[in-house]
Amino acid sequence: MAAYSGSSGTRDFSDEFIELVPKAELHAHLSGSVSEKSLEEVFEVKRNQLARADYKIVDNWLGNLKQNKKDLKWCFDTFKIIQTLCNDCQTVTKVAEDVIKEFLSENVKYLELRSTPRAIKASGMTKKSYIDAVLLAIDNCSDLDIDVRLIVSIDRRCTIDEAYDTVELLAQYQKQSDRLVGLDFSGDPTVGDARKFLPVLQHSRDIGQKITMHIAEVSGKNDEIQHLLEFIPDRIGHGTFLLPDVGGQQTFVDLIRKQSIPLELCLSSNVVGGTVPSYATHHFKYWTDVNHPIALCTDDKGVFSTTLTQEYYIAKREFSLTNSDIWSISRGALDFAFISENRKTQLEKIWLNFAIDNGIEIHN
């Protein structure tokens, strides 16, 4: 039974259709998707290896978890816990496998994980071995009924040289494997000016990489937003402050609609994170009302204590979606996946068979 705090208070949902409908997840940060259960298991293994200060931080976090003392600060503290515990290749592989299996358990059939390669001198983990550790997890799950791909992220807090290195690292892997499917531009949206990375992103595009960009996560950055939108990314993450009524501009909306740039929308992430006041006022409604291409996503399911299934529950109840709407949004996300058209056609059969079995009318 899923629960969330919506605009009308806490609700409990049970909807077999939403639980069973095949799903595609396009916006899932690996670190933020690690579940509380998985982190507790890692902590038990590493309990005696942690420095005293780190042990205290993790122990306090677990104490608040058991007392259900969760607030926005707790969510951000969780990111620090994840970084502290997941600092070697073996742990990265373990938590990545856990994340994949958790998504599979809710009938996610296509999953794009995204992550910034990390180097930890103390454990000997390099950016390359970090990627290898994630790929190992994907390979270990290759016999499961879920297609998993990896998007490599550039953190906007990094240097330009580091960003170019990430693009080149991705290019090297893409020559060897179709598991790595694109580049993500993300990180703390309040830090720096993203426009300085546009030459790096253009280089990425020039060598054939697909690009998704976090844009308009916070207000007051309209100049930056304008330049990022004019780049015409393949997909946009969040887009929270694009609309004029929240401080954006109509020109932003017009450009996105003209170019049909798909939006990765994350309901709980925005509401719990405080960038949107309530589910009912989420920009999901505007974009679906104008029939713009969107994908419903989790962002950080572990940090925000959600699932993709729960996000569909929320969308259904807040925006009066029908089962046909649910299926169409889920199926539509597959169109924006960073994979070949041939693979999309193969995966589409899963959605079409489900529609036939459940009496969903398919509109071309």
Side-chain angles (χ1 to χ4, degrees):
M1 187 80 72
Y4 80 99
S5 180
S7 60
S8 302
T10 299
R11 301 174 180 177
D12 291 321
F13 295 150
S14 180
D15 190 319
E16 187 178 18
F17 182 89
I18 292 178
E19 291 169 1
L20 295 179
V21 69
K23 304 172 187 71
E25 168 64 84
L26 303 185
H27 189 134
H29 296 273
L30 174 56
S31 292
S33 297
V34 181
S35 66
E36 296 163 0
K37 178 178 181 293
S38 190
L39 286 177
E40 287 186 271
E41 290 172 355
V42 173
F43 179 58
E44 286 304 312
V45 172
K46 293 195 168 187
R47 179 185 293 271
N48 297 323
Q49 304 171 26
L50 295 173
R52 184 179 182 85
D54 289 339
Y55 179 92
K56 187 174 181 180
I57 291 172
V58 177
D59 195 48
N60 287 339
W61 176 85
L62 285 171
N64 288 333
L65 169 62
K66 292 174 181 177
Q67 296 177 46
N68 203 30
K69 291 183 177 179
K70 297 181 183 178
D71 55 17
L72 186 57
K73 181 181 181 303
W74 183 90
C75 290
F76 284 109
D77 285 345
T78 302
F79 284 112
K80 298 176 184 176
I81 299 300
I82 295 166
Q83 298 294 323
T84 298
L85 292 176
C86 303
N87 61 355
D88 63 89
C89 292
Q90 184 177 358
T91 304
V92 170
T93 299
K94 179 260 191 299
V95 298
E97 282 190 42
D98 288 349
V99 168
I100 292 169
K101 291 173 182 177
E102 288 160 4
F103 273 115
L104 174 63
S105 72
E106 48 174 328
N107 284 310
V108 173
K109 300 301 183 183
Y110 178 77
L111 169 64
E112 288 179 358
L113 290 173
R114 60 182 71 183
S115 192
T116 304
R118 299 171 57 212
I120 306 293
K121 188 175 181 180
S123 67
M125 184 168 69
T126 65
K127 292 182 178 182
K128 184 178 183 301
S129 64
Y130 177 90
I131 292 177
D132 289 339
V134 179
L135 291 178
L136 177 59
I138 294 174
D139 288 342
N140 289 346
C141 296
S142 61
D143 60 337
L144 303 179
D145 189 20
I146 181 171
D147 187 332
V148 186
R149 308 296 172 116
L150 178 62
I151 294 175
V152 176
S153 299
I154 289 176
D155 189 319
R156 61 187 286 161
R157 292 170 294 186
C158 76
T159 66
I160 297 297
D161 286 344
E162 288 171 332
Y164 272 114
D165 288 344
T166 297
V167 171
E168 294 307 317
L169 187 60
L170 173 59
Q172 292 172 24
Y173 273 94
Q174 288 188 312
K175 292 176 183 177
Q176 309 164 21
S177 171
D178 62 359
R179 294 291 196 188
L180 285 90
V181 293
L183 188 76
D184 165 51
F185 181 74
S186 55
D188 187 342
T190 66
V191 174
D193 189 332
R195 286 174 287 189
K196 69 180 182 180
F197 290 96
L198 285 173
V200 182
L201 297 170
Q202 185 60 54
H203 172 61
S204 170
R205 170 173 286 165
D206 290 343
I207 60 176
Q209 295 173 353
K210 293 286 189 179
I211 301 170
T212 176
M213 299 172 65
H214 287 54
I215 297 178
E217 287 185 89
V218 294
S219 61
K221 293 237 174 187
N222 282 357
D223 287 344
E224 176 185 283
I225 292 169
Q226 181 68 42
H227 283 82
L228 297 183
L229 290 178
E230 288 173 353
F231 177 77
I232 316 296
D234 296 288
R235 298 198 312 245
I236 292 171
H238 296 291
T240 314
F241 293 94
L242 293 169
L243 301 179
D245 61 352
V246 291
Q249 297 177 6
Q250 187 60 41
T251 54
F252 300 164
V253 177
D254 294 342
L255 188 155
I256 292 168
R257 294 187 65 186
K258 180 180 179 181
Q259 298 294 333
S260 295
I261 307 173
L263 291 163
E264 305 157 356
L265 301 182
C266 312
L267 300 173
S268 292
S269 170
N270 296 155
V271 173
V272 177
T275 56
V276 175
S278 69
Y279 291 108
T281 58
H282 196 278
H283 45 291
F284 175 96
K285 177 172 173 51
Y286 171 82
W287 293 108
T288 51
D289 281 352
V290 298
N291 201 31
H292 188 80
I294 65 103
L296 191 58
C297 310
T298 55
D299 193 16
D300 299 292
K301 74 174 185 64
V303 173
F304 296 113
S305 298
T306 190
T307 64
L308 189 54
T309 300
Q310 184 161 305
E311 296 304 291
Y312 275 97
Y313 284 141
I314 295 169
K316 179 177 181 178
R317 293 302 176 96
E318 292 293 344
F319 308 110
S320 301
L321 302 183
T322 65
N323 284 350
S324 180
D325 294 331
I326 294 292
W327 181 88
S328 295
I329 292 171
S330 177
R331 161 62 189 84
L334 197 60
D335 289 334
F336 326 132
F338 288 169
I339 50 175
S340 69
E341 292 303 315
N342 181 57
R343 183 56 182 148
K344 289 179 186 178
T345 300
Q346 293 172 349
L347 287 169
E348 183 184 31
K349 295 175 183 176
I350 299 172
W351 274 260
L352 296 179
N353 289 336
F354 180 87
I356 293 169
D357 291 343
N358 288 273
I360 299 297
E361 185 176 351
I362 301 170
H363 302 282
N364 294 326

